Amino acid sequence: MYTTELKDKSQKQAATPLSAEDPERLAAFEARVAADDFIEPKDWMPDAYRKTLVRQISQHAHSEIVGMLPEGNWITRAPSLRRKAVLLAKVQDEGGHGLYLYAAAETLGTSRDEMVEALHSGRAKYSTIFNYPTLTWADIGAIGWLVDGAAIMNQVPLQRTSYGPYARAMVRICKEESFHQRQGYEIMTTLAKGSAEQKRMAQDALDRWWWPSLMMFGPPDDNSPNSAQSMRWRIKRESNDEIRQRFVDATVPQAEAIGLSIPDADLKWNEARDAYDFGAIDWEEFYAVVRGEGPVAKERMAARVSAREDGRWVREAALAHAEKRAVRLAAE
Amino acid sequence: MSKEWPLWEVFIRAKNGLAHKHAGSVHAADARMALEAARDTYTRRMEGVSLWVVPSVSITASDPGEAEALFAPAQDKVYRHPTFYTVPDGVKNI
Amino acid sequence: MASLFDHAIRLGDDALILGQRLSEWAGHAPMLEIDLALSNIGLDLIGQATHFLKLAGEEEGKGRDADALAFRRDVLDFRNCLLVEQPNGDFAQTIARQFLFSNWQELLMTEIAAAPAPALSAIGAKAVKEVAYHARYASEWVVRLGDGTEESRARMVAGLDSMWRFVDELFDPADGAASLRPAWDARIADTLHAASLDVPKPRRAVTGGRRGHHSEHLGHLLTEMQFLQRAYPGVTW
């Protein structure tokens, strides 16, 4: 995903208001997007579109990278060779997905370093779900089943998002993630059918991950500040509440099939709506986690920051070596 | 902030007989590292049999503002396509 | 002469323990691209471990499968070399360990791939392609770090220095691997020369891994790796 101008001065400032954009170019842009045409890196785009994309894609990338940590926590303790290989491959995929997404965002004129810097300084956000701890092996099952299941529902529509590099990254990601949810559900199934201790582990993981998973779709539609504009620009293709409902409807029967119960007393099938009604989400908790008050938010950030700091000498050494070699080659 | 490793564009030949196709990009300090990063990132599921990596700064791209001037003139040159010509019914192998 | 079981268990344990060590890096590497690379090497090794341990279990004929061997043996029954159980340390130490081991493993797998035991040679033939890449990857990093900055050079020297004690064990005549030494020495010297590093001075070898006498590190590694199987015996995962 190619980029030419890494340093774009406009990135440092607030987005130009749409009213200040050239009306003719803006109209042409909006018409293209409305006609489902793709926007490519060098095309003219409103500053606010560029900034919204950088924010959304980099948040998505950060989520993949931070998301390696809760599952990474169990690779060394996976209970069989097969589970170990699968989990390592899955965590590796997440690193790859973060990489694709950073590259897509880089085409908009922001470097990976700048994005990572924004994450580490707390200016950039990542999915709230990764601020919860993985306590037992069943959490690995719950994450694959629920968190990846929710992520897939969010991501599938993004394969048709209006920004070409983002859409292409999402096509690759969706293809690769197809095994993630299945392996999680397989773990849950095995535990749910296992010993009493294993079943307890599985139910406890579902109890803890259910509500945070529902929060992954973002605030309710009537309280989602950027949604309308993003929908119009085809950066987002479906509303938070629509996707959340679809997730609930898909997941409840999966829980029933393996004998686990969803921790929601208000959950019941609504014949008239042809969908499940479900209980109120604790949005206060969601906003607290967004603010960085999640149970392991500090640990997650500390791990990322120390990986970066501890690796600095390695990155510097590789550049120094490349320069030395270039000088030697030039002298030959 | 110390300097970032340069960006490289990755092209993959899915199988012999096909051209290399753009797959994405990686950061690497040198060409060899870029090839290995491309291999480790983009061919984990048997996506390819050959890789190219090119420093992103080496790519010269056409300007979308000039797209009309560059590509529109080809639109009315229909005589470049075989369907432009009539052949009597029943004539084969042409 | 070592039996097929001894052979397979040794190869399986080497791959398992090093794969386990590399998987500790996931999410913590110096660069995203390196994270992916180390995971790939780890996955290759866990795959090899699975094949070799399965073979060992079949050869033993007591109904132990690869998981039983991996998760339900204690230190005294592990047969990996001491080199692979050494902690990751910094990236230079991880690379030093990989460099010394993968170059040896590539030579060994090449030999095994051509050996008369068909079960072993099939695994070796698959592994040789994987480990050739590991050796190349690690060797290139030895050059970058050795010939990078002053700091990286110092760390690379320290990494090699900390691992060098465990080299002789790889070539124990009792394992039939002594003949690989000259080719290995030449490879190592070539890369170190390109990195403008000296070959570490010979020193008193530390051995014992092949007889189940390990470093203190292995017990902790197993404690972590085997935790679930030990805490909940006899269930399916």
Side-chain angles (χ1 to χ4, degrees), chain A residues 1-3 42-43 92-93 96 99-100 103 106 111-113 117 172 176 179 312 315-316 318-319 322-323 325, chain B residues 1-7 9 22-27 29-30 33 41-42 44-45 47 56 59 61-62 64:
Chain A
M1 285 145 220
Y2 116 90
T3 175
K42 293 182 66 132
D43 290 344
Q92 183 197 42
D93 270 353
L99 199 158
Y100 308 158
E106 282 178 281
S111 72
R112 191 197 291 178
D113 266 358
E117 188 56 40
R172 187 177 271 274
E176 296 188 350
F179 92 79
R312 185 180 303 281
R315 298 191 300 275
E316 286 171 357
L319 276 181
E323 278 160 26
R325 200 155 59 175
Chain B
M1 203 187 295
S2 60
K3 225 171 95 191
E4 196 169 9
W5 287 354
L7 197 62
E9 298 308 313
H22 187 237
S25 33
V26 292
H27 283 276
D30 57 63
M33 194 196 287
T41 305
Y42 291 101
R44 288 174 291 137
R45 288 174 168 81
E47 288 94 336
S56 303
I59 291 182
S62 63

Short mmCIF file of all heavy atoms in Angstrom, two decimals, chain A residues 1-3 42-43 92-93 96 99-100 103 106 111-113 117 172 176 179 312 315-316 318-319 322-323 325, chain B residues 1-7 9 22-27 29-30 33 41-42 44-45 47 56 59 61-62 64:
data_model
loop_
_atom_site.label_atom_id
_atom_site.label_comp_id
_atom_site.label_asym_id
_atom_site.label_seq_id
_atom_site.Cartn_x
_atom_site.Cartn_y
_atom_site.Cartn_z
N MET A 1 0.85 -1.17 0.00
CA MET A 1 0.00 0.00 0.00
C MET A 1 0.88 1.21 0.00
O MET A 1 1.55 1.51 0.98
CB MET A 1 -0.88 -0.01 1.23
CG MET A 1 -1.97 -1.01 1.06
SD MET A 1 -2.30 -1.74 2.63
CE MET A 1 -2.53 -3.41 2.17
N TYR A 2 0.84 1.86 -1.08
CA TYR A 2 1.98 2.70 -1.33
C TYR A 2 1.74 4.12 -0.89
O TYR A 2 0.64 4.61 -0.80
CB TYR A 2 2.32 2.58 -2.83
CG TYR A 2 2.16 3.82 -3.60
CD1 TYR A 2 3.23 4.68 -3.71
CD2 TYR A 2 0.95 4.12 -4.19
CE1 TYR A 2 3.10 5.82 -4.42
CE2 TYR A 2 0.83 5.28 -4.90
CZ TYR A 2 1.90 6.14 -5.00
OH TYR A 2 1.79 7.27 -5.69
N THR A 3 2.83 4.75 -0.54
CA THR A 3 2.73 6.12 -0.06
C THR A 3 3.89 6.94 -0.57
O THR A 3 4.98 6.41 -0.73
CB THR A 3 2.70 6.15 1.48
OG1 THR A 3 2.73 7.50 1.90
CG2 THR A 3 3.88 5.43 2.09
N LYS A 42 -3.77 8.97 -3.94
CA LYS A 42 -3.40 10.27 -4.46
C LYS A 42 -4.60 11.11 -4.90
O LYS A 42 -4.43 12.24 -5.35
CB LYS A 42 -2.42 10.09 -5.62
CG LYS A 42 -1.07 9.53 -5.13
CD LYS A 42 -0.08 9.38 -6.24
CE LYS A 42 0.32 10.72 -6.80
NZ LYS A 42 1.77 10.90 -6.94
N ASP A 43 -5.79 10.54 -4.80
CA ASP A 43 -6.99 11.31 -5.17
C ASP A 43 -7.21 12.46 -4.19
O ASP A 43 -6.87 12.37 -3.02
CB ASP A 43 -8.23 10.40 -5.11
CG ASP A 43 -8.24 9.37 -6.23
OD1 ASP A 43 -7.47 9.55 -7.20
OD2 ASP A 43 -9.00 8.39 -6.13
N GLN A 92 -0.04 -14.37 15.66
CA GLN A 92 0.77 -13.88 14.56
C GLN A 92 -0.10 -13.20 13.50
O GLN A 92 0.25 -12.14 12.98
CB GLN A 92 1.54 -15.04 13.93
CG GLN A 92 2.48 -14.59 12.81
CD GLN A 92 2.92 -15.74 11.92
OE1 GLN A 92 2.13 -16.61 11.56
NE2 GLN A 92 4.19 -15.75 11.58
N ASP A 93 -1.23 -13.80 13.18
CA ASP A 93 -2.17 -13.18 12.23
C ASP A 93 -2.53 -11.77 12.69
O ASP A 93 -2.60 -10.84 11.89
CB ASP A 93 -3.47 -13.99 12.15
CG ASP A 93 -3.42 -15.06 11.06
OD1 ASP A 93 -2.44 -15.10 10.29
OD2 ASP A 93 -4.37 -15.86 10.99
N GLY A 96 0.08 -9.49 11.85
CA GLY A 96 0.03 -9.24 10.40
C GLY A 96 -1.08 -8.26 10.05
O GLY A 96 -0.89 -7.36 9.25
N LEU A 99 -0.14 -4.89 10.87
CA LEU A 99 0.82 -4.42 9.86
C LEU A 99 0.10 -3.97 8.58
O LEU A 99 0.38 -2.89 8.05
CB LEU A 99 1.79 -5.56 9.57
CG LEU A 99 3.11 -5.22 8.90
CD1 LEU A 99 4.14 -6.32 9.16
CD2 LEU A 99 2.97 -5.03 7.41
N TYR A 100 -0.83 -4.75 8.08
CA TYR A 100 -1.57 -4.34 6.86
C TYR A 100 -2.26 -3.00 7.08
O TYR A 100 -2.30 -2.15 6.20
CB TYR A 100 -2.69 -5.33 6.46
CG TYR A 100 -2.33 -6.79 6.34
CD1 TYR A 100 -3.34 -7.76 6.45
CD2 TYR A 100 -1.04 -7.22 6.09
CE1 TYR A 100 -3.04 -9.11 6.33
CE2 TYR A 100 -0.75 -8.57 5.98
CZ TYR A 100 -1.75 -9.51 6.11
OH TYR A 100 -1.48 -10.84 6.01
N ALA A 103 -0.04 -0.02 7.24
CA ALA A 103 0.39 0.30 5.87
C ALA A 103 -0.72 1.04 5.13
O ALA A 103 -0.46 2.00 4.39
CB ALA A 103 0.78 -0.98 5.13
N GLU A 106 -0.71 4.50 6.32
CA GLU A 106 0.47 5.24 5.86
C GLU A 106 0.25 5.87 4.49
O GLU A 106 0.88 6.88 4.16
CB GLU A 106 1.69 4.32 5.84
CG GLU A 106 2.27 4.11 7.23
CD GLU A 106 3.46 3.16 7.24
OE1 GLU A 106 3.25 1.94 7.19
OE2 GLU A 106 4.60 3.64 7.28
N SER A 111 3.07 8.36 9.25
CA SER A 111 3.97 7.22 9.35
C SER A 111 3.54 6.28 10.49
O SER A 111 2.83 6.69 11.40
CB SER A 111 5.41 7.69 9.60
OG SER A 111 5.53 8.18 10.92
N ARG A 112 4.02 5.05 10.42
CA ARG A 112 3.70 4.09 11.48
C ARG A 112 4.24 4.59 12.82
O ARG A 112 3.56 4.50 13.84
CB ARG A 112 4.29 2.71 11.17
CG ARG A 112 3.76 1.61 12.09
CD ARG A 112 4.59 0.35 12.10
NE ARG A 112 4.53 -0.39 10.83
CZ ARG A 112 5.22 -1.52 10.62
NH1 ARG A 112 5.98 -2.03 11.57
NH2 ARG A 112 5.14 -2.13 9.46
N ASP A 113 5.44 5.16 12.79
CA ASP A 113 6.03 5.71 14.02
C ASP A 113 5.12 6.75 14.66
O ASP A 113 4.94 6.77 15.88
CB ASP A 113 7.39 6.35 13.72
CG ASP A 113 8.53 5.37 13.96
OD1 ASP A 113 8.26 4.23 14.38
OD2 ASP A 113 9.69 5.75 13.70
N GLU A 117 3.42 6.35 18.23
CA GLU A 117 3.68 7.41 19.21
C GLU A 117 2.35 7.92 19.80
O GLU A 117 2.22 8.11 21.00
CB GLU A 117 4.43 8.54 18.49
CG GLU A 117 4.94 9.64 19.38
CD GLU A 117 5.83 9.11 20.49
OE1 GLU A 117 6.65 8.18 20.22
OE2 GLU A 117 5.70 9.61 21.60
N ARG A 172 -8.20 -8.96 2.81
CA ARG A 172 -7.17 -9.92 3.23
C ARG A 172 -7.41 -10.36 4.68
O ARG A 172 -7.33 -11.54 5.02
CB ARG A 172 -5.81 -9.25 3.09
CG ARG A 172 -4.63 -10.15 3.31
CD ARG A 172 -3.33 -9.39 3.06
NE ARG A 172 -2.90 -9.45 1.68
CZ ARG A 172 -2.17 -10.44 1.17
NH1 ARG A 172 -1.80 -11.45 1.93
NH2 ARG A 172 -1.80 -10.43 -0.08
N GLU A 176 -8.31 -14.14 6.22
CA GLU A 176 -7.43 -14.84 7.16
C GLU A 176 -8.11 -15.11 8.49
O GLU A 176 -7.78 -16.09 9.17
CB GLU A 176 -6.16 -14.01 7.38
CG GLU A 176 -5.35 -13.88 6.11
CD GLU A 176 -3.99 -13.22 6.32
OE1 GLU A 176 -3.72 -12.70 7.42
OE2 GLU A 176 -3.20 -13.24 5.38
N PHE A 179 -10.64 -18.48 10.33
CA PHE A 179 -10.43 -19.60 11.25
C PHE A 179 -10.46 -19.17 12.73
O PHE A 179 -10.63 -19.99 13.61
CB PHE A 179 -9.14 -20.38 10.91
CG PHE A 179 -7.88 -19.94 11.61
CD1 PHE A 179 -7.61 -20.32 12.91
CD2 PHE A 179 -6.94 -19.16 10.96
CE1 PHE A 179 -6.43 -19.92 13.54
CE2 PHE A 179 -5.77 -18.76 11.58
CZ PHE A 179 -5.51 -19.14 12.88
N ARG A 312 14.57 -0.53 20.53
CA ARG A 312 15.13 0.64 19.83
C ARG A 312 16.54 0.37 19.30
O ARG A 312 16.85 0.65 18.15
CB ARG A 312 15.14 1.85 20.79
CG ARG A 312 15.60 3.15 20.14
CD ARG A 312 15.58 4.29 21.14
NE ARG A 312 14.25 4.48 21.73
CZ ARG A 312 13.24 5.12 21.13
NH1 ARG A 312 13.42 5.65 19.95
NH2 ARG A 312 12.08 5.23 21.73
N ARG A 315 16.52 -1.65 16.09
CA ARG A 315 16.12 -0.90 14.89
C ARG A 315 17.24 0.04 14.46
O ARG A 315 17.53 0.18 13.28
CB ARG A 315 14.82 -0.14 15.17
CG ARG A 315 13.64 -1.06 15.49
CD ARG A 315 12.30 -0.32 15.51
NE ARG A 315 12.23 0.74 16.49
CZ ARG A 315 11.91 0.58 17.78
NH1 ARG A 315 11.63 -0.64 18.24
NH2 ARG A 315 11.87 1.59 18.60
N GLU A 316 17.90 0.66 15.44
CA GLU A 316 19.01 1.56 15.11
C GLU A 316 20.18 0.80 14.50
O GLU A 316 20.80 1.25 13.54
CB GLU A 316 19.47 2.31 16.37
CG GLU A 316 18.49 3.40 16.79
CD GLU A 316 18.80 4.01 18.16
OE1 GLU A 316 19.77 3.55 18.83
OE2 GLU A 316 18.07 4.94 18.55
N ALA A 318 20.12 -1.98 12.77
CA ALA A 318 19.85 -2.43 11.39
C ALA A 318 20.01 -1.28 10.41
O ALA A 318 20.55 -1.46 9.31
CB ALA A 318 18.43 -3.00 11.32
N LEU A 319 19.59 -0.08 10.82
CA LEU A 319 19.77 1.08 9.93
C LEU A 319 21.24 1.43 9.79
O LEU A 319 21.72 1.72 8.69
CB LEU A 319 19.02 2.29 10.51
CG LEU A 319 17.53 2.40 10.21
CD1 LEU A 319 16.99 3.67 10.85
CD2 LEU A 319 17.26 2.40 8.70
N ALA A 322 22.83 -0.99 7.47
CA ALA A 322 22.43 -0.75 6.07
C ALA A 322 23.21 0.44 5.50
O ALA A 322 23.66 0.40 4.35
CB ALA A 322 20.93 -0.50 5.99
N GLU A 323 23.39 1.45 6.33
CA GLU A 323 24.15 2.62 5.84
C GLU A 323 25.61 2.27 5.60
O GLU A 323 26.18 2.63 4.57
CB GLU A 323 24.03 3.78 6.85
CG GLU A 323 22.73 4.56 6.66
CD GLU A 323 22.35 5.38 7.88
OE1 GLU A 323 23.26 5.77 8.66
OE2 GLU A 323 21.14 5.62 8.06
N ARG A 325 26.81 -0.57 4.85
CA ARG A 325 26.93 -1.43 3.69
C ARG A 325 26.77 -0.63 2.40
O ARG A 325 27.46 -0.89 1.42
CB ARG A 325 25.90 -2.56 3.75
CG ARG A 325 26.30 -3.71 2.86
CD ARG A 325 25.72 -5.00 3.28
NE ARG A 325 24.26 -4.92 3.28
CZ ARG A 325 23.48 -5.96 3.52
NH1 ARG A 325 23.99 -7.12 3.81
NH2 ARG A 325 22.17 -5.83 3.51
N MET B 1 12.69 11.35 18.19
CA MET B 1 12.31 10.04 17.63
C MET B 1 13.39 9.58 16.65
O MET B 1 13.79 10.34 15.77
CB MET B 1 10.96 10.17 16.92
CG MET B 1 10.21 8.85 16.81
SD MET B 1 8.73 9.02 15.80
CE MET B 1 7.73 10.15 16.76
N SER B 2 13.87 8.36 16.79
CA SER B 2 14.90 7.90 15.86
C SER B 2 14.26 7.57 14.51
O SER B 2 13.05 7.44 14.39
CB SER B 2 15.61 6.67 16.42
OG SER B 2 14.68 5.63 16.64
N LYS B 3 15.11 7.42 13.52
CA LYS B 3 14.62 7.24 12.15
C LYS B 3 13.88 5.90 11.99
O LYS B 3 14.28 4.90 12.57
CB LYS B 3 15.82 7.29 11.19
CG LYS B 3 15.55 8.14 9.97
CD LYS B 3 16.84 8.33 9.17
CE LYS B 3 16.95 7.31 8.05
NZ LYS B 3 18.26 7.30 7.42
N GLU B 4 12.85 5.92 11.20
CA GLU B 4 12.06 4.71 10.97
C GLU B 4 12.66 3.91 9.81
O GLU B 4 13.22 4.48 8.88
CB GLU B 4 10.62 5.14 10.62
CG GLU B 4 9.60 4.04 10.72
CD GLU B 4 8.16 4.58 10.63
OE1 GLU B 4 7.99 5.77 10.32
OE2 GLU B 4 7.23 3.79 10.86
N TRP B 5 12.54 2.60 9.87
CA TRP B 5 12.97 1.78 8.73
C TRP B 5 12.14 2.17 7.50
O TRP B 5 10.92 2.40 7.61
CB TRP B 5 12.72 0.30 9.01
CG TRP B 5 13.66 -0.31 10.00
CD1 TRP B 5 14.76 0.27 10.56
CD2 TRP B 5 13.60 -1.64 10.54
NE1 TRP B 5 15.37 -0.60 11.43
CE2 TRP B 5 14.68 -1.78 11.43
CE3 TRP B 5 12.74 -2.72 10.36
CZ2 TRP B 5 14.93 -2.95 12.14
CZ3 TRP B 5 12.97 -3.89 11.07
CH2 TRP B 5 14.05 -4.01 11.95
N PRO B 6 12.78 2.22 6.32
CA PRO B 6 12.03 2.62 5.12
C PRO B 6 10.90 1.64 4.79
O PRO B 6 10.90 0.48 5.21
CB PRO B 6 13.08 2.61 4.01
CG PRO B 6 14.39 2.45 4.66
CD PRO B 6 14.19 1.96 6.06
N LEU B 7 9.98 2.16 4.00
CA LEU B 7 8.83 1.37 3.56
C LEU B 7 9.15 0.73 2.20
O LEU B 7 9.78 1.36 1.34
CB LEU B 7 7.64 2.31 3.43
CG LEU B 7 6.24 1.72 3.38
CD1 LEU B 7 5.92 0.97 4.66
CD2 LEU B 7 5.21 2.85 3.19
N GLU B 9 7.39 -1.73 -1.01
CA GLU B 9 6.17 -2.30 -1.59
C GLU B 9 6.43 -3.76 -1.96
O GLU B 9 7.50 -4.10 -2.45
CB GLU B 9 5.75 -1.52 -2.84
CG GLU B 9 5.41 -0.07 -2.56
CD GLU B 9 4.40 0.10 -1.43
OE1 GLU B 9 3.38 -0.60 -1.43
OE2 GLU B 9 4.65 0.93 -0.53
N HIS B 22 0.68 -6.45 -6.73
CA HIS B 22 0.91 -5.74 -5.48
C HIS B 22 0.12 -6.37 -4.33
O HIS B 22 -1.06 -6.65 -4.47
CB HIS B 22 0.49 -4.27 -5.63
CG HIS B 22 0.84 -3.44 -4.44
ND1 HIS B 22 -0.07 -2.72 -3.73
CD2 HIS B 22 2.03 -3.24 -3.83
CE1 HIS B 22 0.55 -2.11 -2.73
NE2 HIS B 22 1.82 -2.41 -2.78
N ALA B 23 0.81 -6.63 -3.20
CA ALA B 23 0.12 -7.27 -2.07
C ALA B 23 0.03 -6.35 -0.86
O ALA B 23 -0.89 -6.46 -0.07
CB ALA B 23 0.87 -8.54 -1.67
N GLY B 24 1.00 -5.45 -0.70
CA GLY B 24 1.00 -4.60 0.49
C GLY B 24 2.39 -4.04 0.70
O GLY B 24 3.16 -3.93 -0.26
N SER B 25 2.70 -3.67 1.94
CA SER B 25 4.03 -3.13 2.18
C SER B 25 4.58 -3.58 3.53
O SER B 25 3.83 -4.09 4.37
CB SER B 25 4.04 -1.61 2.07
OG SER B 25 2.83 -1.06 2.51
N VAL B 26 5.88 -3.42 3.69
CA VAL B 26 6.55 -3.74 4.96
C VAL B 26 7.59 -2.66 5.23
O VAL B 26 8.00 -1.94 4.32
CB VAL B 26 7.28 -5.11 4.91
CG1 VAL B 26 6.30 -6.26 4.81
CG2 VAL B 26 8.30 -5.16 3.77
N HIS B 27 8.03 -2.58 6.47
CA HIS B 27 9.17 -1.74 6.82
C HIS B 27 10.39 -2.64 6.95
O HIS B 27 10.31 -3.70 7.56
CB HIS B 27 8.93 -1.03 8.14
CG HIS B 27 8.00 0.14 8.03
ND1 HIS B 27 8.43 1.38 7.65
CD2 HIS B 27 6.67 0.26 8.23
CE1 HIS B 27 7.40 2.22 7.64
NE2 HIS B 27 6.31 1.56 7.98
N ALA B 29 15.05 -2.47 7.00
CA ALA B 29 16.26 -1.64 6.93
C ALA B 29 17.05 -1.89 5.66
O ALA B 29 17.80 -1.04 5.21
CB ALA B 29 17.13 -1.90 8.16
N ASP B 30 16.92 -3.08 5.07
CA ASP B 30 17.65 -3.38 3.84
C ASP B 30 16.82 -4.31 2.96
O ASP B 30 15.78 -4.83 3.40
CB ASP B 30 19.03 -4.00 4.16
CG ASP B 30 18.94 -5.25 5.02
OD1 ASP B 30 18.34 -6.25 4.55
OD2 ASP B 30 19.46 -5.25 6.16
N MET B 33 16.20 -7.91 4.18
CA MET B 33 15.23 -7.93 5.28
C MET B 33 13.82 -7.69 4.76
O MET B 33 12.86 -8.30 5.22
CB MET B 33 15.59 -6.83 6.30
CG MET B 33 14.87 -6.96 7.62
SD MET B 33 14.95 -5.45 8.61
CE MET B 33 16.64 -5.46 9.14
N THR B 41 5.26 -12.06 6.15
CA THR B 41 3.97 -11.37 6.31
C THR B 41 2.94 -11.80 5.28
O THR B 41 1.79 -12.03 5.61
CB THR B 41 4.18 -9.84 6.21
OG1 THR B 41 5.16 -9.44 7.15
CG2 THR B 41 2.88 -9.10 6.50
N TYR B 42 3.36 -11.90 4.04
CA TYR B 42 2.38 -12.01 2.96
C TYR B 42 2.31 -13.40 2.29
O TYR B 42 1.51 -13.59 1.40
CB TYR B 42 2.66 -10.94 1.89
CG TYR B 42 2.36 -9.55 2.38
CD1 TYR B 42 3.37 -8.69 2.79
CD2 TYR B 42 1.04 -9.10 2.48
CE1 TYR B 42 3.10 -7.41 3.26
CE2 TYR B 42 0.76 -7.82 2.95
CZ TYR B 42 1.78 -6.99 3.34
OH TYR B 42 1.50 -5.74 3.82
N ARG B 44 2.21 -16.46 4.17
CA ARG B 44 2.03 -17.46 5.23
C ARG B 44 1.01 -18.52 4.85
O ARG B 44 0.91 -19.55 5.50
CB ARG B 44 1.62 -16.78 6.54
CG ARG B 44 2.76 -16.02 7.18
CD ARG B 44 2.32 -15.24 8.38
NE ARG B 44 1.45 -14.15 7.98
CZ ARG B 44 0.35 -13.82 8.63
NH1 ARG B 44 -0.05 -14.51 9.66
NH2 ARG B 44 -0.39 -12.82 8.20
N ARG B 45 0.21 -18.23 3.83
CA ARG B 45 -0.81 -19.19 3.42
C ARG B 45 -0.62 -19.62 1.97
O ARG B 45 -1.56 -19.70 1.21
CB ARG B 45 -2.20 -18.59 3.63
CG ARG B 45 -2.58 -18.49 5.10
CD ARG B 45 -3.90 -17.76 5.27
NE ARG B 45 -4.45 -17.86 6.61
CZ ARG B 45 -4.06 -17.11 7.64
NH1 ARG B 45 -3.11 -16.23 7.49
NH2 ARG B 45 -4.63 -17.25 8.82
N GLU B 47 0.59 -18.08 -0.57
CA GLU B 47 0.10 -17.11 -1.55
C GLU B 47 1.01 -16.95 -2.75
O GLU B 47 0.59 -16.34 -3.74
CB GLU B 47 -0.08 -15.73 -0.90
CG GLU B 47 -1.26 -15.63 0.05
CD GLU B 47 -0.88 -15.89 1.50
OE1 GLU B 47 0.14 -16.58 1.73
OE2 GLU B 47 -1.59 -15.43 2.39
N SER B 56 9.45 2.06 -1.52
CA SER B 56 8.26 2.83 -1.88
C SER B 56 8.62 4.15 -2.53
O SER B 56 7.92 4.62 -3.43
CB SER B 56 7.42 3.09 -0.63
OG SER B 56 7.10 1.88 -0.02
N ILE B 59 8.86 4.46 -6.44
CA ILE B 59 7.71 4.36 -7.34
C ILE B 59 7.27 5.75 -7.77
O ILE B 59 7.09 6.64 -6.94
CB ILE B 59 6.54 3.63 -6.65
CG1 ILE B 59 6.93 2.16 -6.48
CG2 ILE B 59 5.25 3.75 -7.46
CD1 ILE B 59 5.88 1.30 -5.86
N ALA B 61 4.25 7.61 -9.52
CA ALA B 61 2.85 7.33 -9.83
C ALA B 61 2.26 8.45 -10.68
O ALA B 61 2.69 9.60 -10.58
CB ALA B 61 2.06 7.19 -8.54
N SER B 62 1.30 8.10 -11.49
CA SER B 62 0.61 9.14 -12.26
C SER B 62 -0.28 9.93 -11.32
O SER B 62 -0.68 9.44 -10.26
CB SER B 62 -0.20 8.49 -13.38
OG SER B 62 -1.21 7.67 -12.84
N PRO B 64 -3.66 11.62 -10.27
CA PRO B 64 -5.09 11.45 -10.58
C PRO B 64 -5.67 12.69 -11.27
O PRO B 64 -6.60 12.59 -12.07
CB PRO B 64 -5.75 11.24 -9.23
CG PRO B 64 -4.68 11.04 -8.25
CD PRO B 64 -3.39 11.49 -8.83
#
